[in-house]
Amino acid sequence: MPPQRATLLQVAQRAGVSRSTASFVLAGRHVDMRISEDARQRVLRAAQELDYRPNLMARSLRTKVTKTIALVSDTLASDPYAGRAIHGALAGAVAHGHLLFIGETEGESMIEEKLISDFLDRQVDAFVYASMFTRYVRVPKLLKGRPVVLLNCLTRAAKPAHHSIIPDEVGAGWSAAKAVIEAGHREGIHMVGNLAHHVFAGRERLAGIREGFGAAGIKLAGTIDCEWWPDSAYEAVSAALAGGPPPKVLICLNDRVALGAYQALREAGLSIPGDVSVLSFDDSDLAAWLRPQLTSISLPHYQLGWQAVETLLDAAGRTEPAVRRVEMPVRYRASLGKP
């Protein structure tokens, strides 16, 4: 049998004070209740000697507050890269003295409904509703009227009901253009990737890139269309190289696309960045594994998770719900050089 936990009454008896005095001290209310410093120290010493821990279940029944958060995602938790958002959310929860429950639905609506119902049965205080990829979502009906923050997703509502924490993909596009311009490039700049309108990140990155180059009077030389995967990028870049003069810069829409571009450039006898500079987005582990190491604009997964919980628990700042964009920093490495 597990050892019995010390009770508040035992702490009070050991400290020689009333149960209510011990309760006020351990709740941090010794000042407003005018409890002497000597009594406070006796209570704290007794609690430490008895290894006293408050009964959170009993407290939650009294206060209706459980200090728990549920994070519900599609496949975020099981991805080793995007899962850093979970680490950020965990750190944010711990910093506020909360416990974080994590549930993954794999995109199945029935699983999602069951998960949320189970969390509600356990009386969680609030929810982080998260997505693996930045996209538009419909917040489940079960969460209506509950404290909710959206992580890496947003709604199409003109007046949103919840805060959304997403990466600043448009700003990242501007940063990509700025990095290329500052390296001295003004021509022969090609995009690599599928620019399908329904892909939120691609659409916003392209908008930022065009705005950034447009402000400097520079136009993209062309687009090499491919899926966001190495083999597709390899085939598309190889075909582009066979059909004309090589580009000066390839801006790849993610690091996997950059891997395929690297392979095609090497096979064509072109060096990076001597002949062709390459820049990418995401800053996954792959960016540091490639040779030369890949300059990539980082998806701030950890910061997204942290900010989601911070926003959720920010009782002092009950601002109007809005979309908050988190900066995506450029990680400069060896793949971007001068013309």
Side-chain angles (χ1 to χ4, degrees):
M1 289 179 61
Q4 286 194 338
R5 292 168 56 161
T7 66
L8 181 62
L9 179 59
Q10 290 172 321
V11 172
Q13 290 173 339
R14 191 180 188 99
V17 299
S18 68
R19 188 179 183 281
S20 59
T21 296
S23 176
F24 286 134
V25 169
L26 295 173
R29 296 188 56 196
H30 57 283
V31 174
D32 61 311
M33 299 308 296
R34 298 184 179 181
I35 295 169
S36 70
E37 181 62 20
D38 177 65
R40 187 179 80 90
Q41 290 296 336
R42 293 203 312 272
V43 170
L44 294 178
R45 186 164 53 250
Q48 184 176 18
E49 290 170 354
L50 293 172
D51 192 24
Y52 171 75
R53 288 177 295 136
N55 187 325
L56 296 180
M57 183 173 291
R59 178 184 293 176
S60 69
L61 290 173
R62 293 194 310 272
T63 64
K64 306 299 181 184
V65 174
T66 61
K67 284 188 171 290
T68 55
I69 300 167
L71 188 151
V72 179
S73 76
D74 43 16
T75 56
L76 183 69
S78 59
D79 183 86
Y81 172 52
R84 294 172 191 169
I86 302 293
H87 298 161
L90 279 168
V94 169
H96 287 275
H98 280 62
L99 186 68
L100 184 72
F101 294 129
I102 300 166
E104 189 167 288
T105 69
E106 296 184 354
E108 294 289 339
S109 58
M110 289 182 64
I111 296 175
E112 179 178 270
E113 185 175 338
K114 178 70 165 60
L115 265 177
I116 294 173
S117 295
D118 286 348
F119 285 139
L120 289 173
D121 288 344
R122 285 161 177 78
Q123 298 183 329
V124 298
D125 296 331
F127 288 82
V128 174
Y129 188 74
S131 173
M132 171 70 175
F133 300 105
T134 311
R135 60 188 176 94
Y136 288 104
V137 298
R138 289 185 177 180
V139 179
K141 291 180 180 179
L142 284 171
L143 296 181
K144 187 176 181 180
R146 308 278 178 178
V148 177
V149 166
L150 306 182
L151 169 56
N152 204 31
C153 53
L154 63 168
T155 65
R156 294 185 183 274
K159 188 177 181 181
H162 310 287
H163 285 291
S164 293
I165 312 298
I166 64 172
D168 186 2
E169 301 282 11
V170 174
W174 268 89
S175 296
K178 181 182 178 184
V180 169
I181 293 168
E182 288 181 346
H185 295 277
R186 297 189 65 86
E187 57 186 26
I189 305 166
H190 288 69
M191 288 285 302
V192 187
N194 189 319
L195 303 178
H197 186 73
H198 67 276
V199 180
F200 186 94
R203 183 175 70 248
E204 295 231 319
R205 289 171 185 180
L206 178 61
I209 289 167
R210 283 177 171 163
E211 289 173 13
F213 282 136
I218 299 172
K219 289 186 177 182
L220 287 171
T223 299
I224 301 173
D225 187 65
C226 65
E227 299 301 320
W228 293 31
W229 207 251
D231 53 354
S232 179
Y234 163 75
E235 293 170 1
V237 173
S238 294
L241 293 173
K248 298 297 182 185
V249 180
L250 294 179
I251 300 177
C252 301
L253 285 178
N254 73 7
D255 295 340
R256 294 188 297 272
V257 171
L259 170 59
Y262 264 53
Q263 295 169 334
L265 291 169
R266 286 227 175 86
E267 194 170 279
L270 298 170
S271 68
I272 305 168
D275 296 312
V276 182
S277 286
V278 181
L279 178 143
S280 181
F281 294 85
D282 288 359
D283 191 37
S284 62
D285 292 338
L286 182 60
W289 294 339
L290 288 170
R291 291 295 181 271
Q293 291 186 328
L294 175 64
T295 295
S296 188
I297 299 172
S298 178
L299 267 172
H301 287 296
Y302 185 93
Q303 290 78 8
L304 289 168
W306 174 279
Q307 277 210 27
V309 171
E310 283 286 310
T311 302
L312 191 62
L313 299 179
D314 183 16
R318 297 296 183 188
T319 56
E320 283 292 313
V323 177
R324 299 184 180 181
R325 296 174 182 267
V326 180
E327 181 183 0
M328 297 173 61
V330 182
R331 305 300 186 198
Y332 288 96
R333 298 189 181 92
S335 66
L336 182 61
K338 296 184 180 300

